[in-house]
Each structure stands twice: as C-alpha cells, then as structure tokens.
Amino acid sequence: MTFGDQGIDPYAQWAAEQERLRRRHRRTRLAVAGVTGAVVLAAVAAGAVMYTGGDEGSAAAPPPTETSAGASTAPPAPSVTASLPPGAPSALPSLLARPVIRPEQAFPVTSVRLRNGSRYERVDVATTPDCARGTSPELAALIEQGEGCLRLTAALFTDAERRSQVTVSVLSFRRVEDASSVFAMASMDPVTYQTVSLDPPPEAGMPTVPPGSAGVFRRLMTVRSVVFANGQWGDGAETEEAEITRQTEELLRHVGENVVAYEEG
C-alpha cells in the first residue's frame, strides 16, 4: 500500500494520532530509563557507519500551542547541526548518488525467518516521498531544517502468534548530516521525535492498538537513512516488556541490515 492509495490511508486522522502520541508519552512504561548514548556498530564493505540508540526517560514534551483559529501547532524544533560521522566511507559521494531504498529492497519478503529461528509476517507496507505524513510534527519540523527527506517507507510486522505489532520505518535523506541530526534528536527524545505506527489493514484480521498503549521505541542510522522501530502488543498490554523489546530490536536489526546492504552498493 502506498500513501497515495484511494483505500485506507495508514496515516489519516493526524490530530487523533498526535493525541495518541502525547498520551503514550505520559503512559509509556516499557521505555528504558536513563540516558543511552549512540553506539557505533561495525559495518563492512564500503566502511559505512551505522549507529543505534536505545530509549531513555524524559520529561513530557511541551504541549502544543493554540493558534488564533484554534488549531494546534507543534513547538518549534530546536536548531540542530551535525557533521559527517567519524569514519564516513571515502566512497560517500558515489553512495549518495544512488537512488534511495524502496519498499521492495527494505522489506523484500512477506514471511521473515531470522537466523535465531524467530518468524514474523509483514502485513502492510506504505511509502511516500512526503516524509512529514509519517512523522510526528516535531520530527517533520526538524527535517525541514536540513535539505529534506527523500522517501519514507514503512512496514508493519507481527509475530507468529499475531500478538505483536511492530512498525519499522526507513527515512532516507539527501545528506548524511541531516540523517545524523534526526538520529541524535530521536535518541534524546524518542517519543517526541518519532515516526507514526501503521495500523493493520482490515484484511489482516488484527486489532488496532488502543490509543495511549505502552510501546518500545528503537532506531539506528545507516549510510543515509534513519530506521525507526515502534513495537506494541496488539491489545495494548503493558506486560512482557522483555519479549516485545526483543521482537522490536530483532526486526530493527533485520531491516537495518537490508538497508546497509543496499546503501553500501
């Protein structure tokens, strides 16, 4: 499914979705407390640098302001600058000249079986060149500070028991510096600067996660993209934290490997 389909738009009803994000910020119990710095993971071939960050507790995001017409507006995004990460590949210009990753490259199969035996099913895919449609207002404002996001592509996965719902989203940028800025802010405040989770399509026969349900938020950075993973139980349960965290991180690493393999050429 693409964002422009005439059927069910996975990113419709933005006002309701943002309220859901704010409630989740207040009620999230699965986020890991404490500050977690960026961890540099080894990447091969062209020497690409991949980063990954965990969640951390933070104060509630400032409430949106009201315009004269009564519409909510997000607080202005902080000004962020970033330089190329240490060890950036010497072939970076030619790598950035390649087309950004597409859904069939990031999410090539419907049934995913990992090396450890875990099995997942991809139940929906969405993609758009208008990245703001699939991000929180704060993240969209941050992206606008740079030279822009070229494409957002996302997929919704569930486990073999069809209990979990994990949305993995890939935001690909023109510049590595812009991807670094987004990754840094999302690592410091993962609830405010996040992508929106996909709701399961009707044909999947899965429930929509209740508003305000707890979730796990993870992300990593590849050559030119930031990959986000949002994991929740379909019924909104706040139990089995370790299990939903494991599934979210497994799918994040799996998709991250696909993105790195493509971006390294």
Side-chain angles (χ1 to χ4, degrees):
M1 176 183 293
T2 65
F3 289 72
D5 283 346
Q6 297 302 311
I8 296 176
D9 185 344
Y11 290 118
Q13 306 298 324
W14 274 110
E17 180 59 34
Q18 295 316 308
E19 178 60 23
R20 171 173 142 176
L21 292 176
R22 286 192 290 274
R23 290 178 187 169
R24 185 185 299 166
H25 189 110
R26 294 191 294 268
R27 297 181 55 189
T28 295
R29 299 177 184 176
L30 300 187
V32 179
V35 177
T36 304
V39 178
V40 180
L41 301 181
V44 294
V49 177
M50 185 193 305
Y51 304 87
T52 180
D55 290 338
E56 54 282 315
S58 60
T65 58
E66 294 292 328
T67 66
S68 58
S72 296
T73 59
S79 179
V80 177
T81 59
S83 58
L84 292 179
S90 59
L92 188 58
S94 62
L95 295 179
L96 294 178
R98 302 184 67 214
V100 295
I101 194 165
R102 297 189 61 82
E104 61 271 18
Q105 296 154 341
F107 316 111
V109 296
T110 302
S111 298
V112 175
R113 181 175 182 178
L114 304 182
R115 288 185 290 271
N116 64 3
S118 296
R119 294 176 179 269
Y120 300 97
E121 179 186 356
R122 190 195 71 204
V123 297
D124 198 13
V125 176
T127 185
T128 179
D130 182 7
C131 298
R133 295 189 65 194
T135 66
S136 66
E138 295 84 358
L139 181 53
L142 178 63
I143 291 171
E144 285 299 312
Q145 292 184 12
E147 294 187 9
C149 172
L150 292 171
R151 177 163 292 277
L152 184 153
T153 184
L156 176 63
F157 295 90
T158 187
D159 58 9
E161 290 75 32
R162 301 177 73 82
R163 294 181 56 220
S164 64
Q165 294 187 24
V166 180
T167 297
V168 184
S169 304
V170 183
L171 276 71
S172 299
F173 296 83
R174 288 186 175 87
R175 302 193 312 159
V176 176
E177 294 92 334
D178 294 337
S180 297
S181 296
V182 166
F183 175 80
M185 290 303 298
S187 296
M188 289 188 290
D189 191 346
V191 178
T192 299
Y193 297 93
Q194 69 164 275
T195 55
V196 177
S197 298
L198 292 172
D199 289 329
E203 61 269 22
M206 297 166 57
T208 298
V209 179
S213 299
V216 174
F217 307 92
R218 294 293 188 268
R219 73 221 59 84
L220 59 79
M221 179 180 164
T222 64
V223 173
R224 67 186 304 176
S225 304
V226 181
V227 186
F228 291 80
N230 306 338
Q232 297 175 286
W233 295 119
D235 60 2
E238 299 182 5
T239 58
E240 298 182 78
E241 172 186 345
E243 177 60 18
I244 192 63
T245 299
R246 180 187 68 82
Q247 293 189 27
T248 303
E249 294 178 346
E250 281 188 350
L251 286 164
L252 176 68
R253 287 193 297 268
H254 169 71
V255 175
E257 290 171 358
N258 292 342
V259 178
V260 168
Y262 172 81
E263 292 185 346
E264 287 180 349

